[in-house]
Amino acid sequence: MSHSNSFARQDAIFARVTQFFALIVLATLVGIIATLVIGSWQTLTQTGPKFFVSDVWDPVRSLFGGMAPLWGTLITATIALIVGVPLSFGIAIFLTEMCPPALKRPLGTAVELLAAIPSIIYGMWGLFILTPLIASIQPTLTATLGKIPLIGVIFQGPPMGIGVLTAGLILSVMVIPFIAAVMRDVFDTTPAILKESAYGLGATTWEVVWNVVLPYTKTGVIGGIMLGLGRALGETMAVTFVIGNAYNISMKLFEPGNSIASSLANEFNEASDPAHLSALITLGLTLFALSFVVLALSRWLLSSLTAKEGKRT
Amino acid sequence: MRMTKKLLTGFAAATAAAISMSAAAQTITGAGATFPFPIYAKWADEYKKTTNVSMNYQSIGSGGGIKQIQSKTVDFGASDMPMKAEDLAKDGLIQFPAIIGGVVPVTNMDSVKPGEMKLTGPVLADIYLGKIKNWNDKAITDLNPGLKLDGPITVVRRSDGSGTTFLFVDYLSKISPEWKTKVGVGTAVSWPEGVGGKGNEGVAQYVQRIKGSIGYVEYAYAKKNKLDHIQLKNRDGQFVQPDDTTFAAASAGADWKGTPGMGVILTDQAGAKSWPMTGASFILMHKSQAKPEAGKEVIKFFDWALKNGQKSAAELDYVPLPPATVSLIQAEWKKITDASGKAIY
């Protein structure tokens, strides 16, 4: 009797303690949002929505517009996904469908280890290895792909290897382990009986992956891509090393650009003018909102997919 | 068991010793400019050996240094951009110079040896304005008849706010009216052109990586990374090489006494041997010290450094302040008081 009583009390205490921990997370989140909003109040009230469409960033005249870093953030993240998603998809298919068992573990671990490399190392690698490499192939790209009408402009710019494209490529390497690991894990959850049935009907590996595995696991796949996107949006050090840090809006991928995270890393220490500081915090708030929208969108997308699935069966 | 006990007593004794030592040893804290960090760190090391007082300096940047001293989280702040007299008065701060150094344009051209290329202020401004885009531009080749110059110019500058940038753009503003109206002066500006590297190291890295690039760094970084510096034409029309003699020449004519807050900017100074991008780095302290003991230790440190730190300054290619300026600074220290208004030093 007394035993069960003390157990009940222990349980109650345990529940309170864990509840407290969970509430700390919520309080931190609310606290961070409040700090960002208070910090960016000056910009939001004085510059207003114009902040997001102005590309002027002039600390001397105290004029700040956030469009250039916002543009750079979106472009680099897009490049990262365009390059990273197909690669990750290939890695995951190979690991789950075609890989000889002896190779499966070492390869899988290698992909996961990519995620363990600190981002500053990616930055250094980007500056020392990737930058000269890109610089050496850039003139060829400009001379060939740069001549294509309309989209050719993408491949123009000074051949120095530093710029938006290099930053996007570094990011793509950084998001691969996240996306590939999630894809591999969810592909593995496909019931063997479904795949065997498809193979039994004479389907090729590609047909099995495209028509059976992918529809079965799309929730997880989109989740993995969103995880990668989240990392690409917020990555700071690696991008700062190679993006060129210029407030520049250009379709040319070889031009130097800027991202929100790298602007913050570069300028936060030295921003003594309140308007400058407020503009930087507004950028931070924007990045926060952007990540929030990405997550919300993926949730909404996933829930609508599940709803459709329900109707079909 | 006895062993454990012995170890424990030993440990306790060691801890007690450590605590009593840290109680005895004074620590002064400062934060700010990155430009003078190497010399402050060296002075701090030598000072600790002679006096057992340690000086903890965080090189967070001039803007950060000003913010920290305003909020009184450090005993002194440091800035490469002198604060204006009215701002000093508003915050109740005293300002004095501590060391002099130079900013040096550096290039990466295969065909050019260090110190060979000659540029003038207006040409440098036009390169940074994006008006001169190729090394074979007539403005550059006319100055360098013997050199083979060709290829696009990549402009490299700082991406973060910096006192080094301040000296560089302050000089360009003095020499080019277009720079003054279009870009202006500050520790960070709206650059019309180029890629940004973070810190002196970042700029040095980019210049080393990109062929045909031009950047600017604090002199010690140019020397350490073996970058190709250039010659600049100074106010007297002479081409000069950057080194401690030309930095010293630029500071020779400075009017420390007549400038409020000793905020002399040493760019574009007269003198046949003056390096045009020379600058002093400044120390900021509160006029009325809430903790007079700590304030006194800061003054003692800089008093020692200004009298005994010349040799290490020269080793690191900084220029120590001349004795006449040091006595001016010592007079300035008399204005620093405790809460009751009594001078603390």
Side-chain angles (χ1 to χ4, degrees), chain B residues 109 111-112 134-137 141 147-153 212:
Chain B
M109 300 279 288
S111 56
V112 181
N134 199 302
W135 287 110
N136 65 18
D137 193 283
T141 49
L147 296 178
K148 244 185 73 193
L149 296 170
D150 197 15
I153 301 176

Side-chain angles (χ1 to χ4, degrees), chain A residues 61 128 241 244-245 266 270-271, chain B residues 61-63 67 159-160 181 196 206:
Chain A
R61 290 173 187 84
F128 288 117
F241 266 74
N245 304 303
N266 274 315
E270 283 279 350
Chain B
S62 301
K67 252 187 286 177
S159 60
D160 48 341
T181 50
Y206 277 5

Side-chain angles (χ1 to χ4, degrees), chain B residues 31 67 71 111 122 176 197 225 242 292:
Chain B
K67 252 187 286 177
S71 58
S111 56
S176 154
N225 292 299

Side-chain angles (χ1 to χ4, degrees), chain A residues 201-252:
Chain A
L201 291 170
T204 61
T205 310
W206 173 253
E207 284 168 337
V208 170
V209 169
W210 195 251
N211 297 320
V212 178
V213 176
L214 208 52
Y216 188 82
T217 56
K218 62 195 166 207
T219 316
V221 168
I222 292 177
I225 294 174
M226 288 297 164
L227 197 68
L229 181 60
R231 173 151 205 203
L233 287 176
E235 179 47 47
T236 311
M237 276 333 285
V239 172
T240 308
F241 266 74
V242 297
I243 197 166
N245 304 303
Y247 286 89
N248 209 350
I249 298 178
S250 168
M251 281 305 289
K252 299 175 184 170

Side-chain angles (χ1 to χ4, degrees), chain B residues 16-296:
Chain B
I19 291 172
S20 65
M21 251 181 79
S22 69
Q26 280 265 9
T27 303
I28 48 180
T29 57
T34 49
F35 166 81
F37 172 66
I39 183 64
Y40 291 173
K42 185 146 194 196
W43 281 347
D45 186 47
E46 287 166 7
Y47 190 63
K48 175 136 206 242
K49 278 180 197 144
T50 53
T51 61
N52 205 24
V53 176
S54 35
M55 198 276 274
N56 179 4
Y57 182 75
Q58 316 270 330
S59 63
I60 54 171
S62 301
I66 293 172
K67 252 187 286 177
Q68 298 272 335
I69 189 68
Q70 280 169 341
S71 58
K72 300 190 182 179
T73 50
V74 288
D75 299 327
F76 70 91
S79 171
D80 295 327
M81 178 161 78
M83 282 176 79
K84 289 194 195 90
E86 61 258 36
D87 291 335
L88 287 170
K90 199 181 73 194
D91 290 322
L93 293 171
I94 289 258
Q95 174 174 267
F96 60 89
I99 194 77
I100 293 166
V103 177
V104 184
V106 289
T107 61
N108 178 351
M109 300 279 288
D110 286 336
S111 56
V112 181
K113 285 200 229 12
E116 266 191 343
M117 191 186 296
K118 292 177 177 173
L119 290 180
T120 65
V123 171
L124 195 62
D126 281 351
I127 292 175
Y128 270 79
L129 281 167
K131 285 166 73 184
I132 296 179
K133 289 188 174 292
N134 199 302
W135 287 110
N136 65 18
D137 193 283
K138 202 172 166 326
I140 301 175
T141 49
D142 280 357
L143 293 168
N144 300 281
L147 296 178
K148 244 185 73 193
L149 296 170
D150 197 15
I153 301 176
T154 301
V155 168
V156 182
R157 34 73 175 182
R158 289 283 287 267
S159 60
D160 48 341
S162 154
T164 314
T165 296
F166 167 74
L167 292 178
F168 185 75
V169 297
D170 184 71
Y171 171 65
L172 293 187
S173 276
K174 281 180 180 165
I175 211 100
S176 154
E178 189 178 351
W179 184 275
K180 194 172 184 179
T181 50
K182 264 196 182 162
V183 184
V185 182
T187 53
V189 298
S190 173
W191 297 96
E193 183 69 30
V195 293
K198 189 161 161 49
N200 276 303
E201 306 87 341
V203 171
Q205 280 293 347
Y206 277 5
V207 171
Q208 280 172 322
R209 305 263 130 219
I210 306 170
K211 287 266 171 276
S213 60
I214 182 167
Y216 60 89
V217 291
E218 197 270 308
Y219 181 58
Y221 286 89
K223 217 172 159 182
K224 205 167 66 190
N225 292 299
K226 300 200 171 50
L227 298 167
D228 305 349
H229 60 267
I230 64 165
Q231 297 181 43
L232 266 179
K233 193 176 183 175
N234 65 18
R235 199 163 160 175
D236 285 16
Q238 304 293 318
F239 282 100
V240 282
Q241 299 273 4
D243 57 37
D244 39 8
T245 58
T246 52
F247 300 159
S251 59
D255 179 17
W256 297 106
K257 203 169 183 181
T259 313
M262 301 189 84
V264 179
I265 298 170
L266 295 171
T267 55
D268 197 29
Q269 294 290 305
K273 284 186 141 177
S274 292
W275 177 252
M277 280 188 248
T278 305
S281 198
F282 298 87
I283 299 297
L284 298 162
M285 289 178 73
H286 279 283
K287 217 175 222 173
S288 166
Q289 293 281 331
K291 290 183 291 177
E293 272 313 303
K296 198 172 164 186

Side-chain angles (χ1 to χ4, degrees), chain B residues 290-344:
Chain B
K291 290 183 291 177
E293 272 313 303
K296 198 172 164 186
E297 288 299 330
V298 174
I299 298 176
K300 264 166 125 179
F301 171 78
F302 281 104
D303 192 39
W304 174 89
L306 293 174
K307 284 178 189 153
N308 305 293
Q310 288 96 336
K311 200 170 143 274
S312 22
E315 276 169 30
L316 291 170
D317 300 297
Y318 291 92
V319 178
L321 292 161
T325 316
V326 172
S327 39
L328 272 178
I329 296 169
Q330 284 164 334
E332 198 74 8
W333 286 340
K334 296 278 177 250
K335 294 183 191 159
I336 300 175
T337 63
D338 60 12
S340 66
K342 209 170 100 235
I344 60 170

Side-chain angles (χ1 to χ4, degrees), chain A residues 247-262:
Chain A
Y247 286 89
N248 209 350
I249 298 178
S250 168
M251 281 305 289
K252 299 175 184 170
L253 296 186
F254 298 156
E255 288 275 356
N258 213 344
S259 81
I260 292 179
S262 64

